[in-house]
Amino acid sequence: MPYAETNHTAVLLPLLPGDGYTARLLMIGPEGSHRITLDTSDPGNPPVWQPTAVRDWPGEPPLRKHGGAVLLPTGEVFLAGGIDSTEDTGLPDAAAVLEGETYQPGIDWDSGGYGASESWTTTARATVPRNYHSVALLLPNGLVLTAGSNLDGSEGGDDVKEYRIETFSPPYDGDPRRPEILQAPSPLGYGETFQILTADAARIQRVALMRCGSVTHAWDGDQRYVGLEFANPADGVLEAVAPPTGGVAPPGPYLLWIVDDGDRPCTLAPFLLLG
Ligand SMILES: [Cu+2]
């Protein structure tokens, strides 16, 4: 599939230890929504871009030019904002896509691999258009911040800039059963076994490091979701294993997430310095 145009978004899907940390990408562009699995172990079966499952829209799903793709601690991807327009129609705010979309990339959390079916869900509408120079970023409380934009995609100074900030609340927001991390280490070395203290240890289904994002022009090249192997050796204790190498998780600041068996991430992810 050709990479036809810049200003559309793409994201590295969750890297999972049960899956050998195989890289998968999701791309949303003028050609639609596609993904690829970068598994080169079989020369007779090289990686190929494949259309994703059909998006949850009554007709043709919108383009999201200048929109954002944000990894959530659940392992899903949230698509934020953008403009439903082509090169020919400019960038009118009137064509803003206010609805978000959540993509479940087909992770089967019981087996820890990509064995399940993908699905898309269209979410509530935002109030502010997010056009050229807008950003979307995961916050440590699990909400997604959206900010910035140039009015009608125009060049210029303060008079064309959007200063309103909005947050997207995933379904787990406000759920009183969200787990809580009481204590976690920092810094953390590669391959190191470490402890997380939480009263909710017995119902934790996933532990992940999520690299802190840095967003520009519809692209957050820093965000990544790195799942960790873990055990529950004692009441209130999780024992997890840090990523093996900088190839899987480059050194730097991460958020540490625990997620329970009801798809609920912890209320506040602590920052942790890896490597
Ligand atoms: Cu720019």
Side-chain angles (χ1 to χ4, degrees):
M1 190 197 61
Y3 184 70
E5 204 182 322
T6 57
N7 301 319
H8 293 270
T9 193
V11 65
L12 175 66
L13 294 173
L15 302 168
L16 303 178
D19 182 49
Y21 288 115
T22 302
R24 290 172 172 76
L25 302 170
L26 171 71
M27 178 155 66
I28 310 291
E31 316 290 328
S33 51
H34 291 79
R35 62 186 274 178
I36 193 168
T37 302
L38 300 180
D39 177 0
T40 53
S41 58
D42 178 4
N45 196 11
V48 179
W49 286 99
Q50 305 277 4
T52 67
V54 177
R55 284 158 70 188
D56 175 30
W57 288 87
E60 182 78 10
L63 295 177
R64 286 186 179 273
K65 201 165 185 178
H66 301 296
V70 182
L71 288 166
L72 299 177
T74 54
E76 296 163 314
V77 177
F78 176 64
L79 292 187
I83 302 295
D84 187 15
S85 82
T86 63
E87 283 296 299
D88 304 335
T89 51
L91 292 170
D93 277 2
V97 187
L98 295 174
E99 296 88 348
E101 284 171 86
T102 303
Y103 175 62
Q104 215 296 4
I107 299 171
D108 173 2
W109 292 106
D110 290 330
S111 71
Y114 275 81
S117 344
E118 316 150 73
S119 61
W120 291 87
T121 309
T122 299
T123 67
R125 288 164 68 88
T127 57
V128 183
R130 297 299 174 189
N131 202 324
Y132 180 50
H133 287 163
S134 63
V135 296
L137 191 69
L138 176 69
L139 299 174
N141 62 2
L143 273 57
V144 178
L145 172 145
T146 58
S149 194
N150 284 24
L151 302 180
D152 293 323
S154 42
E155 306 283 344
D158 281 356
D159 54 324
V160 300
K161 293 206 169 78
E162 173 58 68
Y163 287 104
R164 285 173 293 174
I165 290 172
E166 199 166 6
T167 52
F168 166 69
S169 298
Y172 49 75
D173 182 37
D175 190 324
R177 293 164 294 176
R178 285 178 74 178
E180 196 176 342
I181 292 180
L182 301 174
Q183 197 182 311
S186 180
L188 187 63
Y190 289 110
E192 195 179 307
T193 299
F194 66 101
Q195 286 196 340
I196 305 163
L197 302 188
T198 168
D200 311 297
R203 63 185 167 97
I204 297 305
Q205 188 192 48
R206 314 161 209 168
V207 176
L209 290 181
M210 293 183 72
R211 187 173 173 81
C212 297
S214 49
V215 193
T216 181
H217 293 86
W219 170 242
D220 183 342
D222 254 335
Q223 66 175 340
R224 69 170 63 196
Y225 181 115
V226 183
L228 303 183
E229 302 273 15
F230 72 98
N232 175 202
D235 268 4
V237 180
L238 296 173
E239 210 160 71
V241 184
T245 66
V248 171
Y254 285 76
L255 293 169
L256 173 66
W257 293 96
I258 58 175
V259 182
D260 79 358
D261 50 13
D263 225 25
R264 290 177 286 257
C266 51
T267 49
L268 193 65
F271 287 95
L272 176 159
L273 199 59
L274 176 66

